[in-house]
Amino acid sequence: MSFDLGFWWEAQPVSSAEAGQKYLAMVEGGTGIVHERSALATFYNELTSQFPDLSEENMDTSPWASSLYRTDECVIVSISYPRKLEMSSFLFGLASRCGITCYDPQESRVHFPEGGNAASLELADGSIVDSPSRDDVARALNGLSLEDWYVIVELEPGWFIQVGFGVAAGVPEGFYALEVREGAKEKHFRAVVGELARVIDAFYRFIAGDSSWQAGLQFSPVSY
């Protein structure tokens, strides 16, 4: 008998029903369910440095009922039931420190990291909102103007979406320069968008880990 837990990164709190759907998809080997994040590798490396994966050599002492399941998007563990309390307490704390969401399928319960997500919202006036809500993002984007001409949402270093408005951003008046970077410099792209509604949708979907907003846009690489 085992006690199972799933771990992955979320930009915003999710419902237990949504987390459960994602968990099942991951257990079945699905990919593209959530965004990859370096925080997950940090979580996994610290976990296995203290509790190595199950092997023939440590079967008698390991807390794991089966080998750890790891992809670029998730880590799923099966804890030996007698060590459920010890290991779940450790794992909840480690996940919270790393900014990782945990899903408990036994109780259909989501454990979101204390302090919320690591995302930040930056405005042209220099102000920054930590762990921005959907309303914070909408308010910032609806406030774009010739003076307040850009908005950036960064999920973690090197992972961001940003938009610039009008001539200050190098595009015609009334248009938006939409940029996205997903980690490495070579994954930084730019597109020109004419509708604010599409920009808002892009920000919402990027934060949620949904890349479908990119369909139909003509992107070009951003040079450094």
Side-chain angles (χ1 to χ4, degrees):
M1 189 174 182
S2 66
F3 181 79
D4 301 336
L5 296 170
F7 301 88
W8 60 86
W9 187 92
E10 290 280 4
Q12 300 285 353
V14 293
S15 68
S16 58
E18 184 179 356
Q21 291 174 350
K22 292 182 177 182
Y23 176 81
L24 289 177
M26 292 171 181
V27 168
E28 293 172 356
T31 58
I33 299 162
V34 297
H35 256 332
E36 302 172 14
R37 283 293 181 272
S38 60
L40 188 68
T42 301
F43 169 81
Y44 178 82
N45 291 336
E46 186 168 340
L47 172 61
T48 53
S49 71
Q50 298 197 47
F51 299 97
D53 201 354
L54 185 66
S55 66
E56 291 185 3
E57 290 73 24
N58 66 10
M59 288 183 65
D60 293 335
T61 58
S62 176
W64 310 124
S66 61
S67 297
L68 302 176
Y69 177 75
R70 182 198 180 193
T71 71
D72 291 335
E73 299 176 22
C74 71
V75 173
I76 296 174
V77 305
S78 292
I79 304 168
S80 177
Y81 207 80
R83 299 187 66 175
K84 165 192 169 183
L85 294 179
E86 167 203 353
M87 290 304 299
S88 59
S89 177
F90 170 80
L91 285 161
F92 293 155
L94 176 59
S96 184
R97 291 195 301 275
C98 293
I100 297 298
T101 294
C102 172
Y103 177 68
D104 175 356
Q106 287 82 199
E107 297 186 6
S108 299
R109 183 178 179 186
V110 185
H111 298 264
F112 200 71
E114 293 182 11
N117 61 68
S120 65
L121 168 68
E122 180 181 341
L123 307 178
D125 63 4
S127 61
I128 295 177
V129 178
D130 292 323
S131 301
S133 68
R134 191 181 178 98
D135 288 342
D136 291 329
V137 174
R139 191 178 305 112
L141 294 173
N142 279 299
L144 285 166
S145 66
L146 294 178
E147 293 76 26
D148 298 317
W149 63 275
Y150 75 81
V151 172
I152 305 171
V153 170
E154 185 174 54
L155 301 184
E156 65 173 284
W159 290 77
F160 61 78
I161 187 169
Q162 65 184 30
V163 64
F165 177 67
V167 293
V171 295
E173 184 177 350
F175 284 79
Y176 303 86
L178 184 63
E179 296 185 17
V180 60
R181 175 170 163 172
E182 296 180 329
K185 289 182 178 180
E186 59 269 21
K187 293 185 177 181
H188 189 172
F189 298 95
R190 170 185 171 107
V192 177
V193 180
E195 304 84 24
L196 178 59
R198 182 148 198 187
V199 172
I200 295 173
D201 181 67
F203 269 72
Y204 286 168
R205 291 180 185 273
F206 177 82
I207 293 170
D210 179 357
S211 62
S212 64
W213 63 271
Q214 300 179 22
L217 295 178
Q218 295 185 342
F219 286 97
S220 58
V222 173
S223 301
Y224 287 84

